[in-house]
Amino acid sequence: MSTGNLDFEQFRVFLEKACGILLGENKQYLVSSRLNKLMEQQGIKSLGELVQRIQTQPRGGLREQVVDAMTTNETLWFRDTYPFEVLKNKVIPEFIKNNPGQRLRIWSAACSSGQEPYSLSMAIDEFERTNLGQLKMGAQIVATDLSGAMLNNCKTGEYDSLAIARGLSQERLQRYFDTKGPGRWAIKPPIRSRVEFRSYNLLDSYAPLGKFDIVFCRNVLIYFSAQVKKDILMRIHATLKPGGYLFLGASEALNGLPDHYQMVQCSPGIIYQAK
Ligand SMILES: C[S@@+](CC[C@H](N)C(=O)[O-])C[C@H]1O[C@@H](n2cnc3c(N)ncnc32)[C@H](O)[C@@H]1O
């Protein structure tokens, strides 16, 4: 694939506008490796031609396929462990104490292939098993992602042995999955039905999603510019109920915004409480 400097620059601008992802100036190789197959299939010879094709048909298939190919969907079950322990041991008990009679609402923003929201649903089940009847109104998890391909995976709730091997204990596999044939498992209906999947771009308004007690926005802000990241964090703050919690990825930090969030040290792990 030919990636002239001007073409690459135009592609960078397109990608950041479409989904917030900011490509480094030396990331031509990444674009080539991720788009080669798609461009071959479409008979597109250069990045310039690709940008032109997207610009003349701004909505629809090709644009979505390009964004899909450029996103990183790496994920695993119970990623980093501590967020799910903090949820069960601190955040849910606090929620029950401060919000009697309310249903817990969690947003898994950028849920990839579903491991994060389904892990949240399993963690809630684990809490309920040891605290019978305490979460009286139950919980709802709204899980969103930009990628149509990822959301289709999520909705089937089916995973192969490669995906299952990444972070899921045998005990959880036995308890929360049904076998679907050799090397294939499906999430059990009670865990699945707690999660509602929606296609959503983090650059769009969050108003239609309603208010949340907890937001997991993990391992996605690292791809955005400082300005886009700050804007998203401020808008997430507006979706959180007062005292609600934000969970970021283990390698991500919230710099600034002292008027919006208070850092809470959980040993291990840090979470952020909405002021
Ligand atoms: C690395 S995965 C993180 C998955 C999960 N949160 C975790 O921590 O394991 C990043 C996800 O962000 C999604 N994403 C990237 N840009 C997005 C945007 N502008 N709006 C919504 N989702 C986006 C990608 O499609 C991808 O599934």
Side-chain angles (χ1 to χ4, degrees):
M1 183 213 298
S2 127
T3 56
N5 278 347
L6 188 62
D7 290 349
F8 178 66
E9 199 42 46
Q10 280 186 338
F11 184 75
R12 280 181 71 197
V13 171
F14 152 74
L15 193 68
E16 194 180 12
K17 250 189 171 159
C19 65
I21 294 176
L22 182 65
L23 286 174
E25 274 163 24
N26 53 354
K27 288 287 165 78
Q28 267 105 332
Y29 74 90
L30 187 75
V31 177
S32 305
S33 65
R34 294 207 171 177
L35 294 182
N36 253 341
K37 196 167 146 211
L38 178 63
M39 287 175 63
E40 243 174 68
Q41 284 166 353
Q42 301 279 333
I44 298 173
K45 299 271 180 308
S46 69
L47 201 55
E49 194 185 330
L50 179 74
V51 173
Q52 224 175 23
R53 283 264 292 267
I54 294 169
Q55 277 165 351
T56 48
Q57 338 162 337
R59 296 268 156 240
L62 182 61
R63 182 190 167 97
E64 269 180 36
Q65 285 173 27
V66 169
V67 172
D68 249 18
M70 291 308 301
T71 54
T72 301
N73 305 118
E74 165 84 12
T75 189
L76 50 151
W77 304 98
F78 293 87
R79 189 169 192 168
D80 304 318
T81 311
Y82 77 83
F84 303 90
E85 293 305 310
V86 170
L87 183 79
K88 287 190 283 185
N89 299 330
K90 171 182 169 62
V91 175
I92 298 182
E94 250 182 60
F95 169 81
I96 292 169
K97 193 167 142 236
N98 298 333
N99 304 274
Q102 279 188 39
R103 183 165 69 148
L104 176 71
R105 285 196 88 225
I106 306 181
W107 178 19
S108 166
C111 65
S112 189
S113 40
Q115 282 83 338
E116 180 176 283
Y118 285 137
S119 298
L120 285 165
S121 187
M122 288 183 245
I124 289 167
D125 184 80
E126 288 170 359
F127 175 86
E128 286 183 318
R129 280 166 190 266
T130 46
N131 300 274
L132 282 179
Q134 284 199 25
L135 200 53
K136 287 197 181 67
M137 303 305 287
Q140 181 201 24
I141 300 162
V142 177
T144 61
D145 203 279
L146 178 71
S147 161
M150 285 302 116
L151 286 169
N152 285 340
N153 282 356
C154 294
K155 284 178 191 161
T156 66
E158 288 189 23
Y159 296 90
D160 62 17
S161 34
L162 211 69
I164 289 290
R166 306 202 62 211
L168 200 65
S169 67
Q170 271 305 313
E171 194 191 338
R172 283 175 172 150
L173 179 61
Q174 298 305 326
R175 181 177 289 161
Y176 296 122
F177 288 76
D178 292 318
T179 320
K180 287 295 269 190
R184 231 176 144 72
W185 287 268
I187 301 264
K188 285 198 170 156
I191 298 300
R192 204 165 131 183
S193 61
R194 205 180 270 126
V195 188
E196 179 194 321
F197 290 101
R198 291 174 70 167
S199 166
Y200 225 87
N201 189 337
L202 285 171
L203 301 186
D204 292 342
S205 157
Y206 307 155
L209 296 175
K211 294 274 183 186
F212 294 96
D213 302 289
I214 300 164
V215 175
F216 269 55
C217 184
R218 310 194 67 228
N219 305 298
V220 63
L221 296 178
I222 37 170
Y223 300 108
F224 301 157
S225 69
Q227 197 188 339
V228 170
K229 182 176 159 182
K230 186 173 174 193
D231 173 60
I232 289 176
L233 287 167
M234 283 173 62
R235 292 188 301 116
I236 287 179
H237 177 265
T239 75
L240 277 168
K241 295 182 195 161
Y245 286 103
L246 166 67
F247 288 69
L248 295 178
S251 61
E252 296 167 318
L254 197 159
N255 299 318
L257 300 175
D259 296 340
H260 294 76
Y261 295 98
Q262 179 178 344
M263 190 169 104
V264 181
Q265 183 78 51
C266 295
S267 59
I270 287 168
I271 61 175
Y272 299 90
Q273 187 167 32
K275 286 188 179 170

